Amino acid sequence: MENEKKPTEETLQKAGKGLKSVVGEFKEFISKGNVLDMAVGLIVGSAFTAIVNSLVDDILMPIIGTVLAGINFSSLGITIPWGNHPFIAIGSFLNTVITFLLTALCVFLIVKVMNMFRRKQEEKPAPPKPSKEEILLTEIRDLLAAQQGKETAETEEKKD
């Protein structure tokens, strides 16, 4: 009987170590900044979607319905005359399409504004200053050119 208990205990110990490993990996995954940023984005995105849904359902669609001779989009649809008379809600579908388009437009505008800010922050860095060796070589070149009576591009720029 002891022989039967030993493999079972070893199996349980291995399973416990494996579980601890998985839990440790999960903690590492959750604590990464990208996962937290994604969670915050998801929460803000769902709240933003609720605002856009309200904008479409409560403000835009009544205005569009009024302009189009009083059509109520929420009740717009087709009833099929056979079977149990199913109702195809075209108006609800149109509301969803308009909500999607407005949400996509808002996300596009947010990304566009963020890219404008990033471009302003990513100004071109100043050209690197020449090293001491380059400065010395430039001075030597200028001295040799002066001895031969030739002007270098730098001395011409200084005269202008």
Side-chain angles (χ1 to χ4, degrees), residues 25 64 156:
E25 288 180 35
I64 292 171
E156 288 176 9

Side-chain angles (χ1 to χ4, degrees), residues 110-121:
I110 290 170
V111 169
K112 189 159 183 72
V113 168
M114 292 303 294
N115 285 339
M116 285 177 17
F117 285 129
R118 284 185 185 158
R119 284 187 197 123
K120 288 180 182 178
Q121 290 176 355

Side-chain angles (χ1 to χ4, degrees), residues 5-159:
K5 289 183 181 179
K6 198 170 192 178
T8 307
E9 289 176 8
E10 289 176 6
T11 306
L12 289 175
Q13 287 176 354
K14 287 180 183 178
K17 288 179 184 177
L19 183 62
K20 286 181 184 179
S21 173
V22 170
V23 170
E25 288 180 35
F26 181 71
K27 284 181 183 179
E28 182 182 338
F29 173 75
I30 287 296
S31 64
K32 286 184 180 178
N34 293 342
V35 175
L36 295 176
D37 291 343
M38 185 176 64
V40 169
L42 185 65
I43 292 167
V44 171
S46 64
F48 182 73
T49 301
I51 291 171
V52 173
N53 284 338
S54 176
L55 173 70
V56 170
D57 295 338
D58 301 333
I59 296 173
L60 292 179
M61 293 314 276
I63 292 172
I64 292 171
T66 303
V67 170
L68 298 175
I71 297 173
N72 182 2
F73 277 94
S74 61
S75 64
L76 182 64
I78 299 171
T79 302
I80 299 176
W82 61 82
N84 59 356
H85 302 286
F87 181 75
I88 298 174
I90 296 172
S92 177
F93 176 73
L94 289 175
N95 282 350
T96 305
V97 169
I98 292 172
T99 300
F100 168 75
L101 292 174
L102 286 175
T103 304
L105 176 67
C106 291
V107 169
F108 170 76
L109 292 175
I110 290 170
V111 169
K112 189 159 183 72
V113 168
M114 292 303 294
N115 285 339
M116 285 177 17
F117 285 129
R118 284 185 185 158
R119 284 187 197 123
K120 288 180 182 178
Q121 290 176 355
E122 294 175 359
E123 293 178 9
K124 294 181 180 178
K129 294 183 179 181
S131 65
K132 291 181 181 180
E133 292 85 10
E134 290 176 352
I135 294 172
L136 287 173
L137 288 172
T138 304
E139 290 175 2
I140 292 170
R141 181 198 65 200
D142 292 344
L143 288 173
L144 288 173
Q147 286 177 353
Q148 294 176 356
K150 297 179 184 176
E151 291 187 7
T152 63
E154 287 184 10
T155 56
E156 288 176 9
E157 287 177 7
K158 289 179 183 176
K159 286 182 182 179

